[in-house]
Amino acid sequence: MSETVQSACQTEVSACSGEPGVPAVETRVKTEPSQKWVRVEVDGVTIADSKSVVLLHERGHLPVYYFPKSDVRQDLIAASEHRTYCPYKGYASYWDIKVGDRVIEQAAWSYEDPIPQSEGVREYIAFYWNKVDKWLEEEEEVFVHPRDPYKRVDVIASSRHIQIVLNGEVVADSKRPVIVFETGVPVRYYLPEEDIRKELFISSDLKTRCPYKGEASYLTADINGQRFENIVWSYPNPIQEIPKIAGLHSFYNEKVDAVYVDGVQETVQQWHKSVIDVLNLFGE
């Protein structure tokens, strides 16, 4: 994630760290078994291969796969001296990956003696998503983070009137949007290219990936002498599950002056990284 762009999908997947003695206030950690066959590869070598992973959900974080130690190549990992503390899980130990001459430091972590609420990850190891080369769910490569089984993405054609205002200019005006309702993410309006003032935009080199949609391309706006980097994105070839947004363009609602829906200015919506964040809104 660059300083100027937050991907349309969120990308923070990590072990949490904190200070010993800090109480676990207003948080929940949930682990559950996954039925998916999950693999991790480095330089074409399978580091972890399991049909018995657990998925950990933690408020404020994206879901994380944890592998049984028995399903991780012990000959390809080595314990490091690095340690961190998480008030919601306990002390984390870290592991380096060694494949041939390549060493990836602190690429994995585990909780050898987790606190009671996180007992479900004892004897399991997790990997930093971006430190390894490839993740597979069944026979499909997955990008950025695990697909959350509690996350829903609805893609619905609409006749609502959408107007996007940026730096005082109406830069898009459409009555044929495709609207994406995605759990934990602001509503996104995908607009036909013909309904966007393309003369105000130039193509960007930025590419990002989303586990739910595919690979995104970006546009940068030049409006009244001011540049807005990577303010619009599109999925030219989305994954098979979400074909309706192919070739359409969406703006960062939170970065433009205003979004008008049927003439009414949209209010700022919130991001939620985990299903636990969403449930907390309802007092769960």
Side-chain angles (χ1 to χ4, degrees):
M1 188 186 305
S2 72
E3 292 182 356
T4 56
V5 172
Q6 180 174 23
S7 172
C9 285
Q10 302 165 68
T11 58
E12 181 185 349
V13 178
S14 68
C16 82
S17 60
E19 295 296 331
V22 176
V25 177
E26 295 184 355
T27 189
R28 295 179 183 88
V29 173
K30 170 183 170 62
T31 58
E32 62 179 355
S34 172
Q35 301 301 311
K36 293 179 180 178
W37 174 22
V38 185
R39 283 160 286 168
V40 175
E41 295 183 3
V42 171
D43 285 346
V45 177
T46 299
I47 303 297
D49 183 334
S50 182
K51 297 174 183 176
S52 302
V53 294
V54 298
L55 195 60
L56 182 139
H57 302 272
E58 180 177 351
R59 181 173 299 147
H61 292 267
L62 294 167
V64 178
Y65 280 131
Y66 279 75
F67 293 79
K69 285 187 176 180
S70 58
D71 291 340
V72 177
R73 287 276 302 270
Q74 299 298 309
D75 58 318
L76 299 178
I77 64 173
S80 76
E81 296 182 358
H82 185 59
R83 299 287 186 275
T84 61
Y85 178 77
C86 174
Y88 317 125
K89 297 188 288 293
Y91 285 94
S93 302
Y94 288 77
W95 306 79
D96 301 336
I97 293 175
K98 297 183 178 182
V99 177
D101 295 329
R102 183 179 176 188
V103 177
I104 309 174
E105 295 183 350
Q106 298 168 25
W109 72 89
S110 64
Y111 291 92
E112 306 295 294
D113 187 22
I115 64 176
Q117 69 169 315
S118 296
E119 186 66 24
V121 296
R122 184 186 291 273
E123 298 298 322
Y124 283 78
I125 295 179
F127 294 85
Y128 281 102
W129 197 277
N130 292 331
K131 287 193 175 185
V132 299
D133 296 341
K134 190 174 185 179
W135 289 79
L136 293 168
E137 291 180 349
E138 302 298 333
E139 295 300 333
E140 291 189 5
E141 186 172 5
V142 183
F143 304 103
V144 185
H145 60 80
R147 293 171 181 159
D148 191 332
Y150 297 102
K151 190 178 184 74
R152 183 180 177 94
V153 182
D154 287 323
V155 182
I156 303 176
S158 176
S159 60
R160 292 198 191 201
H161 185 194
I162 306 300
Q163 294 174 297
I164 307 294
V165 180
L166 180 60
N167 206 22
E169 296 275 352
V170 176
V171 298
D173 191 320
S174 181
K175 293 183 179 179
R176 47 180 180 164
V178 169
I179 306 179
V180 175
F181 301 91
E182 181 175 352
T183 307
V185 177
V187 174
R188 299 304 192 188
Y189 305 98
Y190 283 77
L191 311 179
E193 185 173 82
E194 298 80 9
D195 295 344
I196 294 172
R197 293 177 59 187
K198 288 297 294 297
E199 74 274 10
L200 300 176
F201 297 89
I202 57 174
S203 296
S204 167
D205 292 331
L206 179 68
K207 305 288 184 185
T208 64
R209 285 170 165 170
C210 171
Y212 306 105
K213 304 183 200 73
E215 185 174 81
S217 301
Y218 288 78
L219 297 175
T220 289
D222 279 309
I223 301 173
N224 299 327
Q226 187 171 353
R227 174 162 289 202
F228 299 86
E229 297 282 351
N230 306 308
I231 195 73
V232 182
W233 72 89
S234 65
Y235 292 92
N237 298 291
I239 64 175
Q240 293 180 358
E241 288 85 352
I242 191 165
K244 293 181 183 178
I245 62 172
L248 304 182
H249 293 72
S250 185
F251 289 77
Y252 283 100
N253 310 19
E254 62 272 30
K255 293 186 178 183
V256 300
D257 295 0
V259 176
Y260 289 92
V261 181
D262 292 334
V264 178
Q265 185 171 347
E266 183 184 67
T267 58
V268 176
Q269 301 175 57
Q270 299 298 312
W271 288 80
H272 300 287
K273 291 183 178 178
S274 74
V275 67
I276 300 177
D277 292 316
V278 178
L279 292 176
N280 189 53
L281 295 176
F282 302 98
E284 292 292 322

